[in-house]
Amino acid sequence: MTDTDRTPITRAFCAEADAQDPLAGLRDEFLLPEGLVYLDGNSLGARPKGALERAAAVIEREWGHDLIASWNTHDWFELPKRIGAKIGRLIGGERGGCVVSDTTSINLFKVLAAALKIQDQAAPERRVIVSERENFPTDLYMVEGLAKLLDRGYELRLVDEDLPLSEALREDVAVLLLTHVNYRTGALWDMAAETRRAHEAGALVLWDLCHSVGAVPVRVSEADADFAIGCTYKYLNGGPGSPAFVWVHERHQAAAEQPLSGWWGHASPFDMAVAFEPAPGIDRFLTGTQPIVSLAMTEVGVDLALSVDDRALREKSLALTTLFMRLVDQRLAHHDLTLITPEDPERRGSHVSYRHPEGYAVMQALIANGVVGDYREPEVLRFGITPLYVGFLDVWDAVETLRWVLDEEVWRAPEFQTRGAVT
Amino acid sequence: MTDTDRTPITRAFCAEADAQDPLAGLRDEFLLPEGLVYLDGNSLGARPKGALERAAAVIEREWGHDLIASWNTHDWFELPKRIGAKIGRLIGGERGGCVVSDTTSINLFKVLAAALKIQDQAAPERRVIVSERENFPTDLYMVEGLAKLLDRGYELRLVDEDLPLSEALREDVAVLLLTHVNYRTGALWDMAAETRRAHEAGALVLWDLCHSVGAVPVRVSEADADFAIGCTYKYLNGGPGSPAFVWVHERHQAAAEQPLSGWWGHASPFDMAVAFEPAPGIDRFLTGTQPIVSLAMTEVGVDLALSVDDRALREKSLALTTLFMRLVDQRLAHHDLTLITPEDPERRGSHVSYRHPEGYAVMQALIANGVVGDYREPEVLRFGITPLYVGFLDVWDAVETLRWVLDEEVWRAPEFQTRGAVT
């Protein structure tokens, strides 16, 4: 810590930071309950003001009035591609194509199958998928499901404290699957460096952007990534369970074969042909009919993200996560909080996580007192910082509430001890 | 045709039939544009009155106000199971489980993979999936995608005029995949008889209910079906692209392994375990995070369908489709319309289709004049009869408009000749 870090931070300092914040006005684009400090946008983004209006237009005018004609007149057919193209811009994907469809898990299956097929033709001896033990579990489950289905000796090799990535990338590796920002710790991979290293080892690279897109600048083309997937309901504020995206580098599009080959991915879906013929380009990664209301709302959140320079957003995100860490250092040092998020800004995403032995109860007490973060096994308190709508005073209030919960042992109340389902 | 069929049907007769219709009041549960005869509910169901209210509640109160807590407090976790259980009742699925999730195409992939695996363990020599050449193409595409991915000699055998189903069901058949009601002709399979025949041949049976559920009584348990899938946006009026369902007979649930094994299908999703462990029962057919707004709206349509005795609904549906056919016989016999829907009510679903050499232009002219059916290659005019909201006068008006379009050759206008995307 430098001397500057030791200067006590005051509430007035945070208020001044908000006043100076060039992005502060974006908060007005969201409807958040009065008085709530919402630090869980990394799990479910907040509601943009335009979301209800968009949904109502789809339900009343498009579905209700124009009915089936809306597939053409309201461009329902184009939605996955139109919103996908916007996300493609957000993630710096100019050297590839992007569509919005289905879920992150399903999209992972599509691109992993495509990647394994490409490798199988070029280097059939490569039968290993490398990922992290600490990756978001559903990513690992989908790999497991595909490997089991294929039943051709594919195996998952997990990087952990005993096996660094550099050692895991042997010549038997077909695909490296990494999540850009770790869901628990908030640790950020250097996408360009890891992609380069994997390519040098002969592996294709698939990035899961769920915890970075919308909060951390992503440059998939610059990093030369092969495939990317991600969700739209976290930092992109698309609404609960809004459809996910999939991006594929142009060099793979002609060869990419994905097995979930439904009508929407057909070259001529309305010819009603018996045989499947994949659409050219990224469109072949579409499968079945999409949930139009949820899909249309996604665009509202994506448009908001596109309206901001992502470097300015990153600057604010880092200022906020740094502020959080410093306040905890300065004001909560006497408590048993262990920071598990990298202090190095180059290695940090947009949330801050601490372990605390009573993490579950502490988070319940925080939530009951208007500070919404979340809890993740084991013992982890997560505080998500969505720079679009979180301010410096929010961070101050969150840390002060945490201090009170710990100082006064508010978390000991029985109602905070009961375990329920956790999101 | 009997003598009765020759008695000229009048507009007054249709008005009287509406007046006597015990289900006529259900029309009030839907918001349809004034003056429109909507006969495309077999492609996109109409908007129930409660849909916008439900969506607004999810967007404003659940997402907007309660945010992440809604996963528990508003039962988002339970939605796929709760709505699935209701659909399970609708399809007579008491001997199995049902969940709502993803798309019909994706769900087909899940259950077909599970079925092939079950067969592979019991009878590995069975490597054929039998379906119909006239099946809805995306079903065939999904089979093709899975067979290609597996690359273990699976092949698709298509029943057509040269190959009847009885001959196709040889001892090499693993799975029979049929769509209960054909999307183009409206022909209805006898589910119990075909399932029995396929079981006798050693095949498992997977039924696609997209064009029957909500309009034709379905009894999957009684028919002893193995698997069923279907959509909710046609006769169930769930909204554009509302999520699909999947039903699995209880005898397969313990053994069923589906490869799209995402977090929502895990036995303990919040333990964040590295390895996948399938949830017991039908829940293992869930995969990733679902589009909650579209999903929640689905329930409004499903509840409406559940509020009606499906035998009464069937009676009305048959009365309407029969009326359509008789009116065409009586009033349009001088035109080149070829009925392709079975006249036998036992073999008829809930839509009526005719071929006409100028089918495309004729349908465009009908739509422009307030009668919305749809067009399907080749030359097919489809008129969907959703008995929940279509009445006898609607059918009269539709046939009269069709007569006018043909008598006056309205379809010759250039604006009806231009081909656009077709839904």
Side-chain angles (χ1 to χ4, degrees):
Chain A
M1 232 185 249
T2 65
D3 273 358
T4 328
D5 297 342
R6 291 201 197 89
T7 314
I9 300 168
T10 61
R11 191 171 194 286
F13 169 86
C14 296
E16 182 57 23
D18 276 336
Q20 300 293 331
D21 172 17
L23 304 182
L26 285 162
R27 165 72 169 248
D28 293 338
E29 300 296 326
F30 294 88
L31 286 160
L32 278 160
E34 196 65 39
L36 189 76
V37 178
Y38 189 62
L39 304 183
D40 210 9
N42 53 331
S43 187
L44 173 64
R47 170 191 166 203
K49 270 186 183 158
L52 179 61
E53 195 186 336
R54 183 77 180 96
V58 174
I59 296 168
E60 291 187 291
R61 193 175 64 231
E62 302 183 13
W63 175 22
H65 190 270
D66 295 345
L67 289 152
I68 192 69
S70 295
W71 280 99
N72 300 313
T73 55
H74 295 293
D75 265 354
W76 288 354
F77 277 123
E78 296 304 317
L79 277 183
K81 306 170 193 183
R82 185 173 83 205
I83 308 174
K86 289 180 175 183
I87 293 177
R89 297 219 305 277
L90 267 183
I91 63 174
E94 61 280 357
R95 302 289 308 276
C98 185
V99 284
V100 178
S101 189
D102 299 319
T103 66
T104 309
S105 297
I106 299 281
N107 288 337
L108 191 156
F109 190 90
K110 294 175 191 171
V111 288
L112 183 61
L116 292 180
K117 180 107 182 196
I118 289 168
Q119 285 286 41
D120 189 48
Q121 283 163 351
E125 71 286 0
R126 292 180 175 271
R127 279 289 187 268
V128 172
I129 297 116
V130 168
S131 193
E132 287 181 278
R133 191 172 299 280
E134 293 293 316
N135 199 347
F136 194 61
T138 201
D139 287 18
L140 306 181
Y141 303 159
M142 295 307 294
V143 175
E144 188 180 328
L146 178 58
K148 200 166 182 182
L149 180 73
L150 290 174
D151 194 21
R152 289 203 282 276
Y154 284 106
E155 80 182 70
L156 183 57
R157 179 179 299 152
L158 295 175
V159 168
D160 57 19
E161 53 196 9
D162 297 325
L163 180 70
L165 183 52
S166 55
E167 284 178 33
L169 286 171
R170 299 173 207 149
E171 59 195 16
D172 55 1
V173 177
V175 173
L176 171 63
L177 162 64
L178 290 177
T179 296
H180 194 197
V181 170
N182 185 277
Y183 79 99
R184 193 192 273 126
T185 64
L188 169 72
W189 285 106
D190 180 336
M191 184 182 285
E194 299 309 336
T195 301
R196 196 179 318 115
R197 170 152 58 179
H199 282 172
E200 282 165 9
L204 294 173
V205 189
L206 163 51
W207 287 97
D208 178 340
L209 306 176
C210 281
H211 286 268
S212 48
V213 63
V216 173
V218 179
R219 302 287 183 267
V220 286
S221 290
E222 209 174 292
D224 202 30
D226 297 289
F227 305 93
I229 54 168
C231 82
T232 63
Y233 54 77
K234 297 180 190 287
Y235 294 113
L236 290 183
N237 307 297
S242 54
F245 64 88
V246 49
W247 177 89
V248 176
H249 194 287
E250 58 191 8
R251 68 173 162 260
H252 298 306
Q253 283 178 15
E257 261 179 27
Q258 69 96 353
L260 303 175
S261 47
W263 74 267
W264 213 328
H266 196 284
S268 311
F270 302 107
D271 287 355
M272 299 297 188
V274 168
F276 186 76
E277 186 196 332
I282 188 66
D283 297 354
R284 65 181 57 181
F285 282 84
L286 298 171
T287 302
T289 307
Q290 291 301 296
I292 299 294
V293 178
S294 285
L295 177 60
M297 277 203 304
T298 306
E299 195 168 20
V300 178
V302 170
D303 283 342
L304 278 172
L306 268 179
S307 72
V308 192
D309 177 344
D310 64 1
R311 288 158 303 187
L313 212 57
R314 173 65 169 165
E315 195 177 324
K316 181 175 173 187
S317 159
L318 285 175
L320 288 166
T321 50
T322 301
L323 173 67
F324 200 111
M325 293 173 175
R326 288 195 183 155
L327 284 171
V328 170
D329 279 347
Q330 292 184 358
R331 304 174 68 83
L332 281 87
H334 52 300
H335 287 296
D336 191 5
L337 287 165
T338 308
L339 179 68
I340 63 169
T341 301
E343 288 190 81
D344 177 357
E346 300 283 311
R347 295 204 47 237
R348 191 197 309 157
S350 198
H351 69 269
V352 184
S353 297
Y354 292 87
R355 290 183 76 139
H356 186 281
E358 295 293 339
Y360 181 84
V362 169
M363 184 51 73
Q364 302 318 304
L366 279 172
I367 292 170
N369 287 283
V371 175
V372 176
D374 63 22
Y375 173 78
R376 284 290 177 270
E377 294 290 350
E379 298 188 356
V380 175
L381 300 162
R382 268 198 330 179
F383 301 97
I385 305 293
T386 301
L388 282 172
Y389 53 75
V390 172
F392 294 85
L393 272 178
D394 289 329
V395 172
W396 174 271
D397 290 343
V399 176
E400 282 305 280
T401 307
L402 177 59
R403 188 163 70 92
W404 171 74
V405 163
L406 293 172
D407 281 355
E408 305 297 327
E409 301 193 344
V410 178
W411 55 266
R412 285 197 187 274
E415 67 267 33
F416 303 135
Q417 303 281 331
T418 317
R419 295 285 177 126
V422 176
T423 52
Chain B
M1 229 185 248
T2 64
D3 274 356
T4 328
D5 296 343
R6 292 200 195 93
T7 313
I9 299 168
T10 60
R11 191 171 196 284
F13 170 86
C14 296
E16 181 58 23
D18 276 337
Q20 300 293 332
D21 173 16
L23 304 182
L26 285 162
R27 165 73 169 247
D28 293 338
E29 302 295 326
F30 294 86
L31 286 161
L32 278 159
E34 195 66 38
L36 190 76
V37 178
Y38 189 63
L39 304 184
D40 210 10
N42 54 330
S43 187
L44 173 64
R47 170 189 166 203
K49 270 187 182 157
L52 179 61
E53 195 186 336
R54 183 77 179 94
V58 174
I59 295 169
E60 291 187 289
R61 193 175 63 231
E62 303 183 11
W63 176 22
H65 190 270
D66 296 344
L67 287 152
I68 192 69
S70 295
W71 280 99
N72 299 314
T73 56
H74 295 292
D75 264 354
W76 289 353
F77 277 123
E78 296 305 317
L79 276 183
K81 307 173 192 180
R82 185 173 84 204
I83 308 174
K86 289 180 176 184
I87 293 177
R89 297 219 303 278
L90 267 183
I91 63 173
E94 63 278 358
R95 301 288 307 276
C98 185
V99 284
V100 178
S101 189
D102 300 318
T103 66
T104 309
S105 297
I106 299 280
N107 288 337
L108 191 155
F109 189 91
K110 294 176 190 171
V111 289
L112 182 61
L116 292 180
K117 180 107 180 195
I118 288 169
Q119 285 286 41
D120 188 48
Q121 283 164 351
E125 71 286 1
R126 292 181 176 271
R127 280 287 187 268
V128 172
I129 297 117
V130 168
S131 193
E132 288 180 277
R133 190 172 300 280
E134 293 293 316
N135 200 347
F136 194 61
T138 200
D139 287 18
L140 307 181
Y141 303 157
M142 295 306 294
V143 175
E144 188 181 330
L146 178 58
K148 201 166 182 181
L149 181 72
L150 290 174
D151 194 20
R152 288 202 282 275
Y154 284 105
E155 81 182 70
L156 183 57
R157 179 179 299 153
L158 295 176
V159 169
D160 57 20
E161 52 196 10
D162 297 324
L163 181 70
L165 183 53
S166 55
E167 283 178 33
L169 286 172
R170 301 173 205 148
E171 59 194 14
D172 55 1
V173 176
V175 173
L176 171 63
L177 161 64
L178 290 177
T179 296
H180 193 199
V181 171
N182 184 277
Y183 79 101
R184 192 193 274 126
T185 65
L188 170 72
W189 285 105
D190 180 336
M191 183 182 285
E194 300 309 335
T195 301
R196 196 179 319 114
R197 172 155 54 179
H199 282 173
E200 282 165 10
L204 294 173
V205 189
L206 163 51
W207 287 97
D208 178 339
L209 307 176
C210 281
H211 287 267
S212 49
V213 62
V216 173
V218 180
R219 301 287 183 269
V220 287
S221 289
E222 210 174 291
D224 203 32
D226 298 289
F227 305 92
I229 54 169
C231 82
T232 63
Y233 53 78
K234 297 180 189 288
Y235 294 111
L236 291 182
N237 307 297
S242 54
F245 63 87
V246 49
W247 177 89
V248 176
H249 194 286
E250 60 191 7
R251 68 174 162 260
H252 297 306
Q253 284 178 14
E257 261 181 26
Q258 70 95 353
L260 303 175
S261 47
W263 74 267
W264 213 328
H266 196 283
S268 311
F270 302 107
D271 288 356
M272 299 296 187
V274 168
F276 186 75
E277 187 195 332
I282 188 67
D283 296 354
R284 66 180 57 180
F285 282 84
L286 298 172
T287 303
T289 307
Q290 292 300 297
I292 298 294
V293 178
S294 285
L295 178 59
M297 277 202 306
T298 307
E299 194 167 21
V300 178
V302 170
D303 282 343
L304 278 173
L306 267 179
S307 73
V308 192
D309 178 344
D310 63 2
R311 287 159 303 187
L313 212 56
R314 173 65 168 162
E315 196 177 323
K316 181 176 173 187
S317 158
L318 285 175
L320 289 166
T321 50
T322 301
L323 173 66
F324 201 111
M325 293 172 176
R326 290 198 180 154
L327 283 172
V328 170
D329 279 347
Q330 293 183 358
R331 305 173 68 83
L332 281 86
H334 53 300
H335 287 296
D336 191 7
L337 288 166
T338 308
L339 179 69
I340 61 168
T341 301
E343 288 190 82
D344 177 0
E346 299 283 311
R347 296 203 46 237
R348 190 196 312 157
S350 198
H351 69 269
V352 184
S353 297
Y354 292 87
R355 289 183 77 139
H356 186 281
E358 295 293 338
Y360 181 85
V362 170
M363 184 50 74
Q364 302 318 303
L366 279 172
I367 293 170
N369 287 284
V371 175
V372 176
D374 62 22
Y375 173 77
R376 284 290 176 270
E377 293 290 353
E379 299 187 355
V380 175
L381 300 162
R382 273 201 323 181
F383 301 96
I385 304 294
T386 302
L388 283 171
Y389 52 76
V390 173
F392 294 84
L393 273 178
D394 288 329
V395 171
W396 172 272
D397 289 342
V399 176
E400 283 305 281
T401 307
L402 177 58
R403 188 162 69 93
W404 171 73
V405 163
L406 293 172
D407 282 355
E408 306 298 326
E409 300 193 346
V410 178
W411 55 269
R412 285 197 188 274
E415 67 265 33
F416 303 136
Q417 303 282 332
T418 318
R419 296 283 178 127
V422 176
T423 50

